[in-house]
Amino acid sequence: MKVIHLSVECFPIAKVGGLADVVGALPKYQRKLGIDASVVMPYYNRPFVTENALLNIYEGSFSQGDEILAYTVWKEQYDTLGFPVYLIYIEGKLDRPEVYCYPDEAEQWIAFQHAFLDWIVNTDNKPDLINCHDHHVGLVPFLIKYAYSFQSLAGIKTVFTVHNGQYQGWLSWDKAHLLPSFDGYHGGLLDWDGVINPMATALKCCDRYTTVSEGYLEELFVEANGLQDLFKHERAKAIGIVNGIDVEFWDPAIDQLLPLNYTSTTVKKGKEQNKKIFCEKVGLPFDIPLLSYIGRFAFEKGADLLPELIREMYSLNENKIAIFILGSGDDIIQGEIANIIQLYPNQVSVFFGYNESLAHEVYAASDMLIMPSRVEPCGLNQLYALQYGTIPIVRNIGGLKDTVIDIDHDNGYGFVFEELDIKNISLTINRAISVFNIPKSLESIRGKAMKLDFSWDKSAKKYVALYNQLLK
Ligand code: ADP
């Protein structure tokens, strides 16, 4: 079975968040199951394209509005990621250093999808199934059915994976002329609330849709940034499959980014030493529990709550906890975090920006990881934390609900709170600190956490079962 994962992110080529981690791992685990899985993504002007040998495998062109766009499909020659990767290059559109936030995003992603389909329609080696990831490639299930040039592809099955239902790729109808010409009778499939909505289009036109956890799927039926009724209407096509982790990159026993490797049997010493080195590096005290936050500074992640939470923690808990924050995003949130750390320079430290290798060190060094999310489709941070013996303190929502069990329940290994209320969150953190101060409890909870299996092996099988169902 030949499957193409179509995405605008893929670790380590271009990563902004969890989408990249999934697309950079899932095909590898599917290949272990005998699936011919590969990734097609935009070409980015990033180190990967200069550090690896690329083969020019196809050149073509198409018109987009008034422009004729020439494109090249490059294949990374040696499958260094464990699966074939194809990069689509278009000068001025798909040759940029960053993934998002360009003013012509609509033109960029339409061009990517158009070039992809133009290539596929002209190649003999067609996929049996295309797994489209998020709204950037949400028009593909529509275009293979109703765009005149691509109707020969209509037999290819499509799965649409929703990594984040908040972002839908809205574009106004006056951009419709940029799309490959399509049968106008079906144009309504592009529309939601008077604009072209690629996520809605994908939900309507795909053969199946998946969400990155079961808990998130249930939540999307209730609130999906305006698409809840559509998610519900299409629910017969839906399945929630929780993300896994790529244990080739995320395993403290072999992680080359850590000062010291450790396993579940050496976790006490291993974490102690990683913490010592890390705390010296970032100027934090080493002999009190270390709580960290890693993530985008976005409202959905609850990052705006961090300053108030820090204030509350130190009003109750002077000197009993150290806090480290690694993140970037919203400038206002960033400014407020910068202000608050000036009040507690000996207890709170921060790195503003994206730093993959620092993230590994943080997971290993921290005692606890906080995730006060408003929306959390799956969440990978809590899975990495558990794998590194770091105890997650999370809100009971989305994928966090599916993957973290509070220690007050049988087999619990984390701390869970319901409401996003600062007092409530700080009480939960205090509950965690008291467990941490009892060495036997700490040892037991870490042991349980590190024995959990969130590797991709299980979830990759569920995707493959879904593909088999569609193709039988
Ligand atoms: P998102 O909604 O951002 O995709 P996920 O929890 O699914 O959230 O995935 C987040 C991924 O991004 C994890 O691999 C996490 O370690 C990583 N990450 C987030 N922010 C940073 C940062 N500032 N530096 C390094 N890694 C980060």
Side-chain angles (χ1 to χ4, degrees):
M1 179 195 310
K2 189 172 163 58
V3 174
I4 289 179
H5 289 274
L6 193 65
S7 169
V8 302
E9 288 186 45
C10 174
F11 176 81
I13 304 170
K15 170 169 168 179
V16 176
L19 169 61
D21 285 358
V22 172
V23 177
L26 179 56
K28 193 164 62 184
Y29 286 78
Q30 291 180 333
R31 290 183 81 81
K32 286 202 231 167
L33 300 169
I35 303 297
D36 178 5
S38 56
V39 167
V40 178
M41 65 184 296
Y43 178 105
Y44 292 102
N45 188 5
R46 292 191 152 216
F48 185 86
V49 301
T50 47
E51 289 166 4
N52 291 279
L54 303 181
L55 295 175
N56 176 336
I57 60 157
Y58 189 78
E59 289 182 5
S61 66
F62 57 90
S63 56
Q64 178 162 304
D66 299 334
E67 290 179 286
I68 303 287
L69 298 179
Y71 70 91
T72 308
V73 182
W74 296 95
K75 179 183 180 296
E76 189 272 309
Q77 188 170 6
Y78 300 112
D79 298 350
T80 52
L81 303 186
F83 50 85
V85 175
Y86 299 89
L87 307 164
I88 299 186
Y89 175 91
I90 299 178
E91 191 182 342
K93 284 204 167 49
L94 305 179
D95 59 352
R96 299 171 177 182
E98 300 303 327
V99 181
Y100 303 120
C101 300
Y102 293 103
D104 61 346
E105 204 166 288
E107 284 80 351
Q108 204 184 344
W109 302 145
I110 291 172
F112 174 53
Q113 294 172 88
H114 196 156
F116 166 68
L117 292 171
D118 191 77
W119 166 45
I120 292 300
V121 92
N122 285 298
T123 170
D124 293 334
N125 198 7
K126 297 199 179 7
D128 301 299
L129 187 145
I130 304 170
N131 195 150
C132 301
H133 294 268
D134 264 353
H135 71 82
H136 326 96
V137 292
L139 298 175
V140 164
F142 171 84
L143 294 172
I144 65 172
K145 287 189 172 124
Y146 305 115
Y148 297 117
S149 320
F150 305 129
Q151 281 176 355
S152 64
L153 304 177
I156 297 176
K157 299 290 180 194
T158 54
V159 170
F160 180 65
T161 299
V162 181
H163 295 258
N164 194 331
Q166 293 297 301
Y167 307 109
Q168 299 168 4
W170 312 268
L171 45 135
S172 80
W173 270 102
D174 58 24
K175 301 262 186 206
H177 69 288
L178 299 174
L179 296 174
S181 51
F182 57 86
D183 178 355
Y185 182 74
H186 296 284
L189 291 167
L190 295 167
D191 188 87
W192 194 261
D193 267 351
V195 293
I196 298 177
N197 182 320
M199 178 154 295
T201 306
L203 293 172
K204 294 182 213 175
C205 299
C206 68
D207 294 296
R208 290 282 192 284
Y209 77 86
T210 69
T211 57
V212 289
S213 70
E214 286 175 36
Y216 186 49
L217 178 59
E218 292 302 318
E219 287 167 10
L220 287 170
F221 295 151
V222 181
E223 161 39 45
N225 209 1
L227 291 188
Q228 47 281 2
D229 288 342
L230 183 60
F231 273 100
K232 254 190 304 198
H233 185 259
E234 300 290 348
R235 71 193 304 166
K237 296 200 273 196
I239 171 170
I241 304 179
V242 72
N243 286 339
I245 60 182
D246 187 348
V247 288
E248 282 181 23
F249 286 99
W250 297 98
D251 178 354
I254 54 168
D255 188 335
Q256 293 180 359
L257 300 170
L258 301 188
L260 193 89
N261 292 119
Y262 58 92
T263 63
S264 59
T265 48
T266 57
V267 55
K268 184 169 180 298
K269 188 166 161 242
K271 283 191 78 70
E272 224 168 70
Q273 298 204 353
N274 278 292
K275 182 174 173 186
K276 197 155 193 225
I277 295 167
F278 179 75
C279 286
E280 267 167 25
K281 176 166 155 177
V282 299
L284 287 175
F286 155 74
D287 50 359
I288 52 177
L290 173 61
L291 172 77
S292 297
Y293 171 92
I294 299 177
R296 293 182 289 119
F297 293 155
F299 184 74
E300 62 190 270
K301 296 283 176 194
D304 54 304
L305 301 171
L306 293 172
E308 207 186 330
L309 182 63
I310 291 170
R311 212 173 270 124
E312 174 75 14
M313 289 306 299
Y314 290 120
S315 74
L316 297 173
N317 242 324
E318 205 73 44
N319 296 329
K320 287 206 192 128
I321 189 165
I323 297 179
F324 185 76
I325 297 173
L326 167 59
S328 60
D330 185 279
D331 287 341
I332 297 175
I333 299 179
Q334 183 156 324
E336 283 171 6
I337 292 174
N339 288 340
I340 196 86
I341 58 165
Q342 299 196 350
L343 299 180
Y344 309 102
N346 300 322
Q347 282 132 314
V348 187
S349 176
V350 58
F351 180 93
F352 291 129
Y354 183 89
N355 188 323
E356 184 74 22
S357 113
L358 190 60
H360 285 244
E361 291 172 48
V362 177
Y363 288 117
S366 305
D367 296 302
M368 303 168 268
L369 185 94
I370 178 87
M371 298 180 73
S373 307
R374 290 191 177 82
V375 181
E376 196 59 82
C378 175
L380 288 168
N381 299 14
Q382 80 281 14
L383 304 184
Y384 298 144
L386 289 164
Q387 177 87 343
Y388 284 65
T390 301
I391 306 310
I393 303 176
V394 305
R395 183 158 181 233
N396 197 20
I397 192 164
L400 299 174
K401 195 170 170 174
D402 292 3
T403 54
V404 182
I405 303 176
D406 191 278
I407 53 154
D408 280 351
H409 295 91
D410 287 348
N411 298 322
Y413 46 80
F415 294 85
V416 176
F417 52 89
E418 296 290 335
E419 301 304 324
L420 276 185
D421 163 83
I422 296 296
K423 287 225 173 331
N424 185 31
I425 303 175
S426 67
L427 280 176
T428 314
I429 296 173
N430 280 323
R431 197 153 63 89
I433 294 174
S434 47
V435 168
F436 269 85
N437 289 332
I438 307 170
K440 261 206 142 16
S441 317
L442 177 57
E443 196 185 322
S444 140
I445 191 172
R446 275 183 179 157
K448 274 188 210 164
M450 290 186 75
K451 286 197 185 87
L452 297 166
D453 177 10
F454 284 111
S455 102
W456 262 114
D457 284 318
K458 270 195 252 168
S459 295
K461 279 189 191 138
K462 293 191 182 167
Y463 275 93
V464 171
L466 173 70
Y467 300 164
N468 278 328
Q469 219 181 58
L470 276 174
L471 292 171
K472 79 178 171 210

